[in-house]
Amino acid sequence: PAGARQQDPGDPGLRRRVARAIDRLPRGQREAFILVYLEGFTIQETAMTTGKALGTIKSHLHRALKSLRAELDDLRPAQDPNRS
């Protein structure tokens, strides 16, 4: 929204909001997201670590990102209509 407040990445309120959004993910999605995006594991390492198939990890990541984008969409900068 146009009135959305721009928040600094170090903003504790923003950090809590993102943490809550991650916590609300289903367990498999949360686990895959944390291992890949926060801990730096590769998708292959995540599959081996969790004992899940590579395709399952990819699916969990896709769904986690989709959920997080939807929940945190108001934090995205407004798109410039003149940019493509």
Side-chain angles (χ1 to χ4, degrees):
R5 189 175 115 214
Q6 291 289 359
Q7 296 188 15
D8 179 79
D11 181 342
L14 174 61
R15 293 173 63 91
R16 281 191 300 274
R17 185 166 171 210
V18 170
R20 280 194 308 267
I22 293 170
D23 286 343
R24 282 194 281 271
L25 293 171
R27 183 178 179 205
Q29 292 177 26
R30 184 174 59 248
E31 180 179 53
F33 180 86
I34 289 171
L35 288 173
V36 172
Y37 292 106
L38 302 181
E39 298 294 333
F41 283 52
T42 65
I43 294 172
Q44 292 82 5
E45 290 168 335
T46 300
M48 289 188 317
T49 299
T50 61
K52 295 179 180 171
L54 189 63
T56 300
I57 297 301
K58 289 179 180 182
S59 177
H60 284 330
L61 289 172
H62 173 76
R63 290 181 178 146
L65 289 171
K66 184 176 178 182
S67 293
L68 292 171
R69 283 183 185 122
E71 186 162 345
L72 302 170
D73 186 59
D74 62 296
L75 298 174
R76 296 176 87 178
Q79 289 286 6
D80 181 348
N82 297 319
R83 289 183 62 191
S84 35

